């Protein structure tokens, strides 16, 4: 898998050194070991995890800004794509947003074990982050396998600066979800979405949906989890 990781990184003109390969591998060791006690991932095979966790995360690299930037990974779970991206792009300042306390504790442990000085943990809901001092402070917000795009727009766009972007890692239902999310995206300050097919061995129908932030988000959003009864209509 080392060669696959190199190929994926090279698409973004990123070269992974020995230390970065070691950290990516060590991250999978920690994830799969802790998954025995806690439900962090449905992928338990090491070879599959190398492709579908680290490899999948690295497909985001070509869409990230050049130079230093900030990234919020919403609903990060076990840390994908946030941790692999923080390893591959040490010039990124990464916030991992995870409301499940046990998962957040694992993330904190992993960040310390891996020596990732560029990563912070936010152990509350994305709705809370979007109404906190974190609001509209990020260049990029990512999310993978978290929710449909109408909900993701509400959770992610308030975190992103104007001229920033949301990168939603989606599957074959992305086109259908985009149609349903069109109004919410506009309402939240998002521009015209762009879809990027993902070329990853052993997978199909993967798409990254890029949503540019074109204006500030109305202060009403994101709504509290206790008051939001449905996606924005």
């Amino acid at each position: 898998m080392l060669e696959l990781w190199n190929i994926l990184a090279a698409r973004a003109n990123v070269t992974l050194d020995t230390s970065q390969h070691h950290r990516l591998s060590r991250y999978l060791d920690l994830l799969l070991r802790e998954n025995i006690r806690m439900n962090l991932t449905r992928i338990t095979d090491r070879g599959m995890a190398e492709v579908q966790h680290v490899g999948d995360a690295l497909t985001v690299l070509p869409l990230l800004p050049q130079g230093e930037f900030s990234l919020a990974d919403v609903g990060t779970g076990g840390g994908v794509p946030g941790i692999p991206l923080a390893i591959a792009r040490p010039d990124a300042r990464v916030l991992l947003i995870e409301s499940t306390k046990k998962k957040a504790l694992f993330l904190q442990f992993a960040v310390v074990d891996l020596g990732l000085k560029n990563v912070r943990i936010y152990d509350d809901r994305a709705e809370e982050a979007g109404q906190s001092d974190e609001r509209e402070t990020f260049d990029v917000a990512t999310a993978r396998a978290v929710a449909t795009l109408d909900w993701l727009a509400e959770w992610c766009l308030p975190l992103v600066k104007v001229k920033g972007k949301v990168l939603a890692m989606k599957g074959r239902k992305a086109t259908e979800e985009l149609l349903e999310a069109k109004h919410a995206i506009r309402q939240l300050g998002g521009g015209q979405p762009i879809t990027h097919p993902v070329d990853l061995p052993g997978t199909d129908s993967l798409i990254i949906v890029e949503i540019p932030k074109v204006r500030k988000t109305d202060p009403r959003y994101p709504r509290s989890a206790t008051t939001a009864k449905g996606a924005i209509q």
Side-chain angles (χ1 to χ4, degrees):
M1 286 304 110
L2 298 185
E3 185 56 29
L4 173 63
W5 294 350
N6 285 336
I7 290 169
L8 293 171
R11 293 176 183 172
N13 296 316
V14 171
T15 301
L16 300 174
D17 63 23
T18 301
S19 173
Q20 287 167 305
H21 274 288
H22 172 76
R23 280 181 164 144
L24 290 169
S25 183
R26 174 65 178 166
Y27 165 62
L28 290 181
D29 290 341
L30 298 174
L31 180 69
L32 295 178
R33 185 182 70 190
E34 191 64 19
N35 195 57
I36 296 172
R37 297 195 309 110
M38 185 193 315
N39 182 25
L40 292 169
T41 173
R42 60 179 176 77
I43 300 169
T44 57
D45 176 78
R46 172 63 184 232
M48 289 180 63
E50 289 173 349
V51 176
Q52 296 184 27
H53 284 327
V54 173
D56 195 22
L58 296 181
T59 65
V60 177
L61 287 174
L63 301 176
L64 298 179
Q66 298 297 311
E68 294 185 2
F69 69 99
S70 54
L71 181 147
D73 189 22
V74 174
T76 189
V80 179
I83 288 180
L85 292 177
I87 294 171
R89 287 290 305 270
D91 53 350
R93 300 182 307 281
V94 176
L95 181 69
L96 303 177
I97 300 176
E98 177 50 55
S99 62
T100 303
K101 303 304 181 184
K102 288 183 178 180
K103 292 180 181 179
L105 284 173
F106 163 73
L107 294 171
Q108 190 63 58
F109 169 77
V111 164
V112 172
D113 185 281
L114 297 167
L116 297 177
K117 305 297 186 184
N118 60 331
V119 179
R120 297 183 292 128
I121 314 298
Y122 188 94
D123 62 347
D124 208 336
R125 299 181 66 90
E127 298 95 327
E128 298 299 322
Q131 293 290 2
S132 74
D133 290 343
E134 307 290 352
R135 182 183 180 88
E136 294 188 324
T137 63
F138 294 92
D139 298 298
V140 180
T142 56
R144 186 181 83 147
V146 176
T148 54
L149 279 168
D150 45 8
W151 284 108
L152 281 183
E154 182 169 1
W155 297 339
C156 293
L157 279 167
L159 291 166
V160 177
K161 306 172 185 176
V162 174
K163 298 186 179 179
K165 65 176 77 173
V166 173
L167 298 174
M169 304 167 72
K170 304 297 295 182
R172 58 175 53 89
K173 293 184 178 180
T175 301
E176 175 184 329
E177 289 183 19
L178 269 172
L179 290 173
E180 295 174 353
K182 183 183 296 186
H183 174 72
I185 290 169
R186 286 199 305 267
Q187 185 78 5
L188 292 155
Q192 181 63 38
I194 305 164
T195 57
H196 304 273
V198 172
D199 180 14
L200 187 66
T203 64
D204 60 2
S205 303
L206 296 182
I207 293 172
I208 298 174
V209 179
E210 178 180 356
I211 305 172
K213 178 79 172 275
V214 297
R215 66 180 185 281
K216 293 178 74 67
T217 301
D218 187 306
R220 292 176 296 169
Y221 304 112
R223 298 164 295 170
S224 163
T226 59
T227 60
K229 303 304 181 184
I232 295 171
Q233 300 297 318

